[in-house]
């Protein structure tokens, strides 16, 4: 049981006798729900991260937060995954810090009262370059047997980020583009299609393509010589 205290407008305890007031009860039963507390790690999904890029270069602040709730609920969470993935196609020297809301599962309270986390991609020692890709480096896949496809776009400028040492070794022969015609070659004519630009494996394991690209192509019926 707990004694009852009455407070005035200014949040100060009142002496009821001064106001000739009495309470019908002097004590009440109080039920306090005790929540369990747990420290959880924050993590983020990484898309298009090159194989040679170290996970340690991606840091989250804060790295952990405290959560509270029923034991059977919070025990299911050792890590909370931030809602937005880090897509390396968007990561550049000028765009390497991302602010994300910290998700909170149903039935769980954020004891730390920190609602946002900053994800930082450390690009110290990295550089950017532009490679001009010629149509000779375009490869068409999933072209219907009765169609032929030709590239109207003959040159494509591609932005690349990577370690300074590997950027220095890049050239147009290191970069190629794949054009999937599975869903766009049914009809003839000129059209814009997405091209997936990639870097040859080997000495470029810390480089990645910045942005998304399209080229112009022409689709026509294949002419057979009988």
């Amino acid at each position: 049981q707990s004694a009852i205290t009455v407070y005035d407008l200014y949040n100060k305890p009142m002496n009821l006798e001064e106001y000739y007031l009495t309470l019908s009860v002097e004590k009440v039963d109080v039920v306090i729900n005790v929540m369990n507390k747990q420290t959880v790690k924050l993590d983020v999904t990484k898309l298009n991260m090159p194989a040679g890029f170290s996970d340690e270069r991606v840091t989250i602040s804060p790295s952990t937060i405290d959560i509270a709730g029923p034991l059977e609920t919070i025990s299911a969470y050792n890590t909370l995954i931030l809602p937005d993935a880090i897509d390396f196609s968007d990561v550049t020297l000028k765009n390497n810090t991302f602010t994300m809301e910290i998700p909170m599962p149903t039935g769980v309270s954020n004891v730390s009262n920190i609602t946002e986390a900053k994800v930082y991609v450390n690009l110290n020692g990295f550089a950017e370059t532009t490679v001009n890709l010629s149509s000779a480096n375009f490869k068409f896949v999933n072209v219907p047997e009765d169609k032929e496809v030709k590239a109207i776009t003959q040159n494509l400028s591609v932005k690349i980020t990577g370690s300074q040492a590997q950027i220095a070794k890049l050239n147009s022969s290191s970069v190629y583009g794949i054009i999937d015609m599975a869903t766009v070659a049914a009809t003839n004519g000129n059209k814009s299609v997405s091209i997936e630009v990639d870097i040859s494996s080997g000495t470029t394991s810390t480089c990645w393509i910045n942005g998304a690209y399209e080229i112009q192509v022409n689709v026509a019926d294949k002419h057979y010589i009988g």
Side-chain angles (χ1 to χ4, degrees):
Q1 287 190 328
S2 175
I4 299 175
T5 302
V6 179
Y7 292 83
D8 64 15
L9 182 64
Y10 303 100
N11 204 31
K12 294 182 179 180
M14 294 177 60
N15 184 347
L16 297 183
E17 293 182 356
E18 293 182 5
Y19 298 94
Y20 305 100
L21 298 174
T22 58
L23 297 175
S24 59
V25 293
E26 294 183 353
K27 293 184 178 182
V28 294
D29 292 328
V30 178
V31 177
I32 300 176
N33 293 320
V34 178
M35 295 191 297
N36 295 276
K37 189 174 80 169
Q38 179 172 302
T39 300
V40 294
K41 178 184 176 181
L42 298 181
D43 202 355
V44 65
T45 302
K46 308 169 192 73
L47 302 177
N48 299 311
M49 187 174 82
F53 194 87
S54 173
D55 268 326
E56 295 180 358
R57 281 183 171 268
V58 181
T59 56
I60 303 174
S61 180
S63 59
T64 63
I65 63 167
D66 291 330
I67 62 173
L71 181 60
E72 62 272 16
T73 301
I74 66 171
S75 61
Y77 300 98
N78 293 317
T79 302
L80 293 179
I81 305 298
L82 297 176
D84 300 318
I86 295 295
D87 190 336
F88 269 68
S89 65
D90 298 325
V91 176
T92 66
L93 298 184
K94 293 182 178 180
N95 187 47
N96 64 334
T97 302
F98 307 87
T99 301
M100 300 184 189
E101 182 180 350
I102 298 175
M104 202 53 48
T106 302
V108 176
S109 298
N110 184 340
V111 180
S112 296
N113 289 322
I114 301 173
T115 60
E116 291 183 336
K118 289 188 179 297
V119 181
Y120 171 67
V121 183
N122 182 355
L123 295 182
N124 290 336
F126 278 63
E128 295 174 352
T129 190
T130 298
V131 172
N132 292 317
L133 190 62
S134 72
S135 59
N137 296 97
F138 298 164
K139 181 181 179 181
F140 294 98
V141 297
N142 295 318
V143 178
E145 291 184 0
D146 62 339
K147 301 291 183 181
E148 58 182 11
V149 181
K150 294 182 179 179
I152 298 174
T153 301
Q154 294 298 302
N155 292 282
L156 184 68
S157 295
V158 177
K159 295 181 180 179
I160 301 175
T161 300
S163 66
Q164 292 175 354
Q166 292 190 0
I167 283 288
K169 298 177 182 179
L170 275 180
N171 54 53
S172 58
S173 63
S174 306
V175 185
Y176 61 94
I178 301 292
I179 304 98
D180 189 346
M181 300 299 297
T183 60
V184 293
T187 58
N188 294 344
N190 296 344
K191 54 190 71 183
S192 295
V193 294
S194 297
I195 178 170
E196 181 181 345
V197 184
D198 207 347
I199 304 170
S200 302
S201 60
T203 58
T204 54
S205 62
T206 63
C207 297
W208 63 91
I209 306 297
N210 293 129
Y213 298 90
E214 289 186 343
I215 64 169
Q216 290 285 321
V217 302
N218 175 263
V219 180
D221 293 330
K222 183 179 289 186
H223 297 288
Y224 296 94
I225 300 177

